[in-house]
Amino acid sequence: MKISPQVFQRNDLSYIIRSATEDDAKELSALRLQVDGETEHFDREPGEGFIDEQGFQELIGQDTRTPQCLFLVAEVEGGLVGFSRCAGSELKRLSHQVEFGVGVKKTHWGLGIGTNLLKESLKWADQQQMKKMTLRVLETNKHAMDLYIRLGFEVEGVLKADKRLSDGKYYNTVMMAHFFSGEEK
């Protein structure tokens, strides 16, 4: 699925949030690798689960053709600095929900890019008459959890000792959901 490009301004920075195109594939591959290495908030360490240019071309092409999926990028001065993806299912029993994921370059944290990627995704999901958007967040990522709660997400559950980080300790993953149109929980 695609959305219309949106322009955002924060301080002196102007950025565009738009649907990913297959032309973004090479840059997305490098961006995802970089973002994975800038934080331990993701499931992957740098290089794990690597998606090359062709892999991103296929993923973007499929997401563009699938009404239950949305792949967005954030662009600053012609270069990608962030991305998000809503992955839905064509299975009837699961077709009412999408799972959200996001990544932003560390140099562009705190500029509202991740927030606006999420807001655009929420707007799209509501327009698609989705009933639920889910996400997973590491318990140590308090900033993200606070944002999700401000935008209407609630905790659905906790996966205990779900991830082992570089300090050798195990941390919980918090499962959160946003319900649309007053759906029953």
Side-chain angles (χ1 to χ4, degrees):
M1 196 78 184
K2 287 190 168 193
I3 66 161
S4 297
Q6 301 292 319
V7 178
F8 296 89
Q9 189 77 31
R10 179 77 175 258
N11 303 328
D12 292 334
L13 180 75
S14 179
Y15 60 94
I16 298 168
I17 291 179
R18 60 173 175 79
S19 293
T21 68
E22 292 181 29
D23 291 340
D24 296 318
K26 184 176 182 178
E27 194 172 355
L28 271 169
S29 181
L31 176 62
R32 183 172 179 257
L33 185 64
Q34 178 181 348
V35 168
D36 284 350
E38 294 179 331
T39 180
E40 288 191 302
H41 296 305
F42 298 115
D43 292 344
R44 303 167 304 272
E45 291 193 11
E48 290 183 329
F50 180 74
I51 301 175
D52 63 9
E53 180 179 358
Q54 181 179 349
F56 268 109
Q57 286 174 341
E58 291 170 8
L59 183 61
I60 293 164
Q62 183 171 344
D63 283 358
T64 301
R65 294 184 300 274
T66 305
Q68 299 90 345
C69 295
L70 179 68
F71 200 136
L72 299 178
V73 293
E75 182 181 324
V76 174
E77 297 177 355
L80 300 185
V81 298
F83 58 89
S84 68
R85 184 165 182 252
C86 290
S89 175
E90 293 181 348
L91 299 175
K92 287 183 182 183
R93 293 180 181 172
L94 299 174
S95 64
H96 65 286
Q97 63 180 317
V98 294
E99 184 170 2
F100 175 80
V102 64
V104 176
K105 275 185 180 183
K106 192 171 189 175
T107 56
H108 289 77
W109 288 0
L111 299 172
I113 294 171
T115 300
N116 285 321
L117 283 164
L118 177 54
K119 285 180 177 179
E120 290 300 309
S121 296
L122 285 165
K123 189 185 322 177
W124 165 83
D126 193 33
Q127 291 169 349
Q128 297 304 306
Q129 299 181 335
M130 292 292 166
K131 303 301 179 199
K132 180 178 181 180
M133 181 182 287
T134 63
L135 57 82
R136 295 172 182 226
V137 59
L138 196 60
E139 69 178 323
T140 58
N141 194 350
K142 301 294 186 196
H143 179 75
M145 288 179 64
D146 290 346
L147 168 66
Y148 299 144
I149 290 168
R150 276 196 318 273
L151 294 179
F153 284 80
E154 59 188 72
V155 174
E156 281 200 303
V158 176
L159 301 174
K160 296 181 179 180
D162 190 49
K163 293 192 179 69
R164 185 173 51 119
L165 300 184
S166 62
D167 62 5
K169 296 178 184 176
Y170 290 86
Y171 293 88
N172 299 335
T173 296
V174 180
M175 300 181 326
M176 301 183 80
H178 182 285
F179 293 89
F180 297 91
S181 305
E183 286 301 308
E184 294 285 329
K185 299 173 208 146

